[in-house]
Amino acid sequence: MSPQFVDFDRDGQLDIVAGIFDGSPHLARGDQTGFGAPEQILDKNGERIVLNAFWNIGKKQWDDTHRFDAPGTAPQGAHATSAVVFDVDGDGDLDLLLGDHKSGNVYVRHNEGGAGQPSFGTVNTLLHAGGSPIDVPGTVATLRLFDWDRDGRTDLLIGSMGDAYSGTGDGGGVFLFRNEGSDKAAAFGKSVTLIPVSKKDAIDAPARPDSGLYLDAGDIDGDGDPDLVVGGYSHWTPKARALTTEQQQRVVAIRAEQAKLAAELATLTEAAQKAAEGLAEEEARKRYASAYQAQRKERDANRAARALLDKELGELVPPAQRRSFVWLYTNTKPR
């Protein structure tokens, strides 16, 4: 998610560093022919780098750990889905920054090796800005490193997730943390809002990226100042149609049919769960999967019927919309 092109191992070839939803940062090494298969970035002990929540490949389930927490901290389910490398402490090697999908925090794994031979520590340390831990509203979606004010120091840009669905929660925004440090070590200042948190209050048509804001920066229009390209979901509700009496009656009938189908699906799920009751974890999983597969024909018919009803109802009563777009924000601040 949100890859970074960087010479990770200092061999003169660009590599790709990225966080993914399994909770670990990954590396795809580059050479003259292209990029290799992604591999997990490991710490100095050869262990997988995670915050707390992660997908346990061996168990095929979500798992949780606190063995990498810094002393005196107790993150609640921190989940690393974004990652970049950057020399935070100015010692000449690349440290690892991890963005938390469950909060607005950013963590550091310090590189205890040397340039070209990364050896990451085993403790997740909170990254500070303006004297306090970074905590962007709406949880971290993406991290970007960019010299925003062209002073020769790398700044940090963060796009936040926000409520990614059509609920009433706020959406995400884009925030700048200027590097106020020296060439020895980064020192990020207080948050500057570049795109405010969305209230998801667009009417009739998409108006902006509301949630899941993934960004990149550059001088897009060639006028000498930095602009933003931001991908994200836009949320809006189309204007309601005026319905005839007959159409209003059909809406009521459709909703009744939908409720009936939902009840039928719940009954199927309950039956599959009952087949696995009282069994050990692995056997329960197999029994549930077997019962679920035996219901496949009924489930497919139920799904197809619901899809047709959803489509018909959507034409009569347009539902809330959520679609992804890419937006350009040109910088209008005088240089």
Side-chain angles (χ1 to χ4, degrees):
M1 298 169 73
S2 193
Q4 175 194 23
F5 291 90
V6 60
D7 187 357
F8 180 82
D9 48 16
R10 303 291 175 89
D11 65 353
Q13 300 287 337
L14 282 179
D15 310 300
I16 299 175
V17 170
I20 68 173
F21 202 72
D22 76 352
S24 295
H26 283 66
L27 169 69
R29 297 182 187 273
D31 58 28
Q32 294 180 345
T33 63
F35 296 99
E39 60 191 69
Q40 289 179 350
I41 299 176
L42 306 178
D43 66 20
K44 65 180 181 181
N45 295 332
E47 288 197 76
R48 176 181 177 182
I49 292 177
V50 299
L51 294 179
N52 299 139
F54 65 98
W55 177 252
N56 190 317
I57 298 171
K59 294 181 180 179
K60 297 182 179 179
Q61 66 182 34
W62 286 103
D63 211 336
D64 192 76
T65 182
H66 287 276
R67 68 183 183 274
F68 304 120
D69 293 351
T73 66
Q76 298 299 311
H79 180 191
T81 60
S82 54
V84 293
V85 289
F86 174 59
D87 186 7
V88 176
D89 47 22
D91 62 357
D93 54 39
L94 295 172
D95 307 299
L96 186 60
L97 306 187
L98 303 171
D100 183 9
H101 180 64
K102 293 291 186 180
S103 76
N105 297 140
V106 179
Y107 293 84
V108 183
R109 284 288 186 108
H110 286 283
N111 188 347
E112 299 174 7
Q117 295 181 319
S119 179
F120 295 104
T122 59
V123 174
N124 297 314
T125 304
L126 281 166
L127 181 64
H128 285 64
S132 301
I134 289 176
D135 189 6
V136 300
T139 81
V140 177
T142 187
L143 305 172
R144 274 289 178 258
L145 300 165
F146 185 76
D147 184 0
W148 183 261
D149 42 19
R150 301 199 173 185
D151 62 357
R153 293 173 290 191
T154 301
D155 306 306
L156 178 63
L157 293 161
I158 301 180
S160 66
M161 181 65 65
D163 175 17
Y165 296 94
S166 299
T168 57
D170 288 343
V174 173
F175 307 92
L176 166 67
F177 297 86
R178 286 190 171 90
N179 186 349
E180 299 172 351
S182 66
D183 57 356
K184 297 296 184 183
F188 295 109
K190 291 183 178 181
S191 173
V192 176
T193 300
L194 299 182
I195 300 177
V197 164
S198 169
K199 297 301 180 183
K200 297 198 302 184
D201 55 1
I203 299 173
D204 297 346
R208 55 158 285 170
D210 292 306
S211 64
L213 276 66
Y214 286 80
L215 67 110
D216 233 320
D219 185 5
I220 307 300
D221 52 12
D223 65 353
D225 54 30
D227 308 301
L228 288 174
V229 175
V230 183
Y233 288 112
S234 191
H235 301 253
W236 76 99
T237 301
K239 186 178 296 185
R241 291 176 51 187
L243 302 180
T244 66
T245 300
E246 183 179 354
Q247 288 172 326
Q248 293 173 10
Q249 292 171 344
R250 181 54 187 156
V251 168
V252 173
I254 290 173
R255 286 175 173 159
E257 292 178 59
Q258 288 176 320
K260 180 181 177 182
L261 289 168
E264 291 174 359
L265 184 61
T267 299
L268 290 172
T269 299
E270 184 179 355
Q273 291 171 338
K274 190 172 183 179
E277 282 181 1
L279 301 175
E281 182 179 343
E282 183 63 21
E283 182 59 29
R285 185 185 64 79
K286 291 179 180 178
R287 190 69 63 85
Y288 178 85
S290 176
Y292 188 99
Q293 186 60 35
Q295 299 169 346
R296 177 66 67 183
K297 188 174 181 179
E298 293 172 278
R299 286 180 174 274
D300 287 348
N302 184 287
R303 186 180 300 108
R306 284 186 289 117
L308 289 174
L309 290 172
D310 290 346
K311 181 180 179 182
E312 185 181 359
L313 183 62
E315 293 171 352
L316 295 169
V317 182
Q321 301 291 308
R322 186 187 79 146
R323 288 180 56 192
S324 55
F325 299 89
V326 176
W327 306 76
L328 170 62
Y329 286 80
T330 56
N331 195 336
T332 58
K333 185 177 179 180
R335 283 180 288 160

